[in-house]
Amino acid sequence: MIPFVGEAAAMTAALFWATSSMIFSNIGGKAGAQSVNRGRLLCSITCLTIIHWIVEGQPWPHATTPEQIGWLTLSSVLGLVIGDAMLFQAFVMLGARLSMLMMSSVPIMGTVLAWFLFDEVLTPTQMAGIALGVGGILTVIMMRKGRPANLEGRNYLIGVLFGLGGAVGQVSNLITAKYALIGGYSALSATWIRTLVAVLIMWGIAALTGRVRRTIVSCTAPNVRGWLMLGAFIGPAMGVWLSMLAVQNANVGIASTLMATPPVLLIVYEGVVLRRPVGLQAIIGTCMAFGGVALLFLF
């Protein structure tokens, strides 16, 4: 096995998710959070089918047991349907950076649940790395700078709760998917099945509520469709596949910590690319988070 393949997959997934979150936050305000959510799932299953055909030699998975389908279905419902619906609503209310900051609770939940469910044992150094990484992300979260000016009080709390709901969905998705991946089952096939389940459920709900036409019109608008395809490819398609590889090849606590770094990456993006002042607190938090990542890789 290639050393650190799981950790590298988790870190790459984080980069992809940070980028796609900015895209979805931007177009979600134009087309509507749930319309974008349904549209990106349809785009991502198309991308995944092509990728699966190239990598696995067939457009969709075969030789999947009923037990694996059951776990992947549960994973999809908890993560891609419920969790992502909440996260996309948070994108619209809070913006990409603050929404992804709420996801910093994922490694804590993931480590605790993995300890109970999989008897995973972390070394003291790894525990220190996770603590340092989470501490850095929490330091960034505590910043008051950058909070939406027109979102205070009850609405801000609702946005935060939507973001935390997305975090709960993400960790539930990781834990349940782990059961299906035991035994070396293809992470790409697992991603294809999970995405198909989410497409069927989300578009089924849209059909029952009469929102199919509205979704298609919103997602095919000239200023939305191109960005939607790009975001769907790098986020729900490549990002989710890489997250499955990470869970399959790395400790859940370590993988979820690395995949929780998009908030810090977005701070770096704002400071370096957009040249917005981020403040000393954000810089300290960023250094702490990447210091924790270094501990996980080196020891």
Side-chain angles (χ1 to χ4, degrees):
M1 181 182 296
I2 302 174
F4 298 125
V5 63
E7 291 84 349
M11 197 66 217
T12 307
L15 287 167
F16 284 176
W17 283 338
T19 304
S20 64
S21 70
M22 290 184 289
I23 294 173
F24 292 139
S25 178
N26 181 45
I27 63 177
K30 301 173 183 176
Q34 298 316 314
S35 290
V36 169
N37 191 19
R38 288 188 287 268
R40 61 101 194 188
L41 283 171
L42 198 58
C43 292
S44 64
I45 193 63
T46 303
C47 295
L48 283 169
T49 299
I50 296 171
I51 295 171
H52 196 279
W53 204 338
I54 295 171
V55 175
E56 301 288 344
Q58 54 197 24
W60 47 75
H62 292 291
T64 305
T65 67
E67 183 181 3
Q68 287 171 323
I69 292 176
W71 282 117
L72 291 171
T73 298
L74 180 59
S75 172
S76 178
V77 170
L78 294 175
L80 296 180
V81 176
I82 299 175
D84 279 2
M86 292 186 175
L87 180 59
F88 270 67
Q89 193 60 44
F91 278 154
V92 173
M93 297 183 71
L94 300 178
R97 182 171 62 85
L98 288 177
S99 296
M100 296 304 287
L101 290 178
M102 299 300 104
M103 303 297 282
S104 63
S105 57
V106 168
I108 300 172
M109 301 177 193
T111 302
V112 172
L113 286 176
W115 179 48
F116 278 109
L117 298 176
F118 301 121
D119 295 323
E120 292 187 354
V121 178
L122 299 174
T123 67
T125 303
Q126 289 173 328
M127 293 178 66
I130 290 174
L132 185 61
V134 172
I137 295 172
L138 290 175
T139 299
V140 177
I141 287 176
M142 293 171 62
M143 291 178 57
R144 302 186 67 87
K145 190 174 184 178
R147 181 181 298 185
N150 59 344
L151 193 65
E152 297 293 341
R154 180 173 177 272
N155 288 334
Y156 181 75
L157 177 61
I158 291 173
V160 169
L161 291 176
F162 273 125
L164 289 174
V168 173
Q170 172 68 3
V171 74
S172 301
N173 144 46
L174 292 174
I175 294 296
T176 50
K178 181 88 171 180
Y179 283 106
L181 294 171
I182 292 174
Y185 184 71
S186 168
L188 180 56
S189 294
T191 303
W192 191 94
I193 293 172
R194 292 174 66 253
T195 306
L196 179 64
V197 170
V199 168
L200 294 175
I201 292 175
M202 294 298 291
W203 281 90
I205 293 173
L208 291 173
T209 56
R211 296 178 179 174
V212 171
R213 184 178 181 278
R214 182 193 308 176
T215 300
I216 294 174
V217 171
S218 298
C219 292
T220 55
N223 59 344
V224 172
R225 60 193 179 205
W227 289 109
L228 180 62
M229 280 296 297
L230 177 61
F233 176 71
I234 64 176
M238 294 299 297
V240 173
W241 174 28
L242 288 167
S243 75
M244 294 295 97
L245 281 175
V247 171
Q248 189 174 42
N249 293 283
N251 185 292
V252 168
I254 295 174
S256 55
T257 299
L258 294 174
M259 287 186 285
T261 55
V264 181
L265 299 176
L266 288 168
I267 287 289
V268 174
Y269 173 78
E270 288 190 5
V272 176
V273 179
L274 300 182
R275 298 190 180 279
R276 294 176 182 170
V278 295
L280 180 61
Q281 188 174 350
I283 296 173
I284 293 174
T286 301
C287 292
M288 289 175 61
F290 281 98
V293 171
L295 284 177
L296 294 176
F297 271 102
L298 297 176
F299 297 94

